[in-house]
């Protein structure tokens, strides 16, 4: 909760506790994400915060900008599309199919060749209806299969009531059946519920872009691509704007890349949970891993 606002209209009751006396207008947030609301002296003294639905929060931000005499929205110019550096493997279907089969070798056993082969299907998947709108302990275990660890404090906060309320509300606004190639700006753009969810995850202790992407990919495997150092290095991409740039790559040339990935996935006879963008991630990661091993051998030699 920020300072008392002087330029914004006073409401008739406290937004947090519904008190009708001792009211003041206060601000919270910063920059273009700031908003104003009416609070009583007790809520101001205890620095009580509001829990809002994403659309309600966006509306309050827009109203606050009007109070300040600013446009209702202030969107930054998106950066230019960055072309991904795609490996040759993607155009060699036979080798790509073998690569996928090798990655999933032993996936039906307790001794898989790669633990990541269990990520999508572990405990029935993170997007199954009964858990699609909440983060669970199963999701935390699943991301550990991709060689990352959610810290104890982050896990406590992620599974806590406040996070479940806020993130659950955002997850409900992100469809489980939406593929990245079909996504619009309102669904993956800076103001989208998905981007808000990304920012909420990044606020957790020790949760950087890699862990955040893997948690989101667990909940929305058809929409959110996994990103890590190996994948970004192989694609020659800085990370910022990756969703949009991969979307562009999937749609380019009449969706040629998307069709090729679908064909490769189907020929590899992968489990039904494996999405097109997860297929892409595995192929890029495998190529990048092999490149690193080759470079290491050359350096050692």
């Amino acid at each position: 909760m920020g300072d008392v606002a002087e330029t914004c209209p006073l409401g008739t009751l406290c937004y947090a506790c519904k008190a009708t006396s001792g009211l003041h207008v206060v601000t919270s947030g910063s920059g273009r994400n700031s908003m104003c609301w009416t609070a009583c002296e007790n809520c101001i003294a205890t620095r009580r915060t509001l829990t809002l639905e994403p659309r309600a929060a966006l509306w309050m931000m827009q109203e606050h900008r009007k109070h300040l005499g600013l446009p209702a929205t202030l969107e930054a110019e998106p950066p230019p599309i960055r072309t991904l550096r795609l490996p040759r493997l993607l155009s060699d279907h036979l080798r790509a199919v073998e690569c996928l089969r090798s990655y999933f070798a032993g996936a039906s056993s307790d001794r898989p060749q790669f633990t990541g082969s269990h990520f999508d299907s572990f405990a029935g998947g993170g997007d199954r209806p009964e858990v699609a709108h909440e983060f669970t302990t199963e999701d935390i275990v699943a991301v550990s299969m991709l060689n990352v660890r959610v810290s104890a404090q982050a896990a406590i906060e992620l599974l806590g009531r406040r996070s479940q309320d806020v993130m659950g509300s955002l997850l409900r606004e992100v469809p489980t059946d939406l593929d990245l190639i079909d996504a619009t700006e309102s669904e993956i753009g800076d103001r989208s519920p998905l981007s808000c969810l990304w920012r909420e995850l990044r606020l957790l202790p020790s949760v950087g872009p890699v862990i955040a992407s893997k948690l989101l990919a667990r909940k929305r495997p058809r929409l959110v691509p996994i990103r890590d150092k190996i994948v970004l290095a192989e694609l020659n991409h800085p990370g910022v704007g990756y969703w949009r740039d991969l979307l562009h790559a999937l749609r380019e040339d009449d969706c040629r890349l998307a069709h090729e990935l679908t064909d490769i996935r189907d020929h590899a006879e992968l489990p039904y949970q494996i999405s097109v963008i997860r297929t892409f991630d595995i192929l890029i990661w495998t190529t990048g891993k092999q490149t690193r091993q080759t470079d290491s051998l050359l350096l050692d030699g």
Side-chain angles (χ1 to χ4, degrees), residues 133-135 163-173 197:
H133 307 312
E134 62 179 305
F135 286 101
S163 286
Q164 292 287 21
D165 287 346
V166 174
M167 295 188 194
S169 175
L170 289 165
L171 279 168
R172 288 185 183 88
E173 296 201 40
L197 184 55

Side-chain angles (χ1 to χ4, degrees), residues 25 40 46 76 92 101 126 132 134 140 143 166 188 230-231 233 253 261 281 285 287 290 299:
V25 179
C40 67
T46 58
D92 186 342
R101 288 176 175 169
E134 62 179 305
I140 294 172
V143 298
V166 174
I188 64 169
I230 293 176
V231 168
D253 296 333
L261 290 168
D281 163 66
W285 181 85
T287 304
Q290 292 171 348
L299 289 173

Side-chain angles (χ1 to χ4, degrees), residues 121-196:
S121 59
F122 179 71
D127 60 341
R128 67 188 193 278
E130 58 268 31
V131 296
H133 307 312
E134 62 179 305
F135 286 101
T136 68
T137 54
E138 295 163 349
D139 298 325
I140 294 172
V141 173
V143 298
S144 73
M145 298 173 184
L146 295 176
N147 230 9
V148 296
R149 177 181 174 272
V150 177
S151 70
Q153 185 57 45
I156 290 170
E157 294 185 27
L158 182 64
L159 301 175
R161 181 174 178 180
R162 181 190 174 279
S163 286
Q164 292 287 21
D165 287 346
V166 174
M167 295 188 194
S169 175
L170 289 165
L171 279 168
R172 288 185 183 88
E173 296 201 40
V174 182
T176 57
D177 59 352
L178 177 64
D179 291 293
L180 178 60
I181 194 171
D182 298 320
T184 64
E185 180 67 16
S186 65
E187 290 164 326
I188 64 169
D190 189 53
R191 292 281 185 177
S192 67
L194 183 63
S195 290
C196 291

Side-chain angles (χ1 to χ4, degrees), residues 249-268:
L250 291 169
R251 288 180 177 174
E252 203 170 22
D253 296 333
D254 293 326
C255 305
R256 180 179 58 83
L257 176 60
H259 292 318
E260 288 179 349
L261 290 168
T262 301
D263 187 52
I264 292 168
R265 180 192 63 184
D266 292 346
H267 277 83

Side-chain angles (χ1 to χ4, degrees), residues 265-284:
R265 180 192 63 184
D266 292 346
H267 277 83
E269 300 179 328
L270 298 187
Y272 73 92
Q273 295 99 333
I274 307 304
S275 66
V276 167
I277 57 174
R278 177 69 171 128
T279 301
F280 178 80
D281 163 66
I282 294 168
L283 293 172
I284 301 302

Side-chain angles (χ1 to χ4, degrees), residues 8 14 20 24-25 35 45 67 83 86 91 110 114 119 130 132 135 168 170 179 183 194 211 223 246 271 291 296:
C8 305
C14 175
T20 56
H24 303 275
V25 179
M35 65 179 73
H67 300 157
T83 302
L86 301 177
S91 58
D110 294 334
F114 293 96
F119 170 73
E130 58 268 31
F135 286 101
L170 289 165
D179 291 293
L194 183 63
I211 294 178
L223 179 62
L246 178 54
T291 300
S296 177

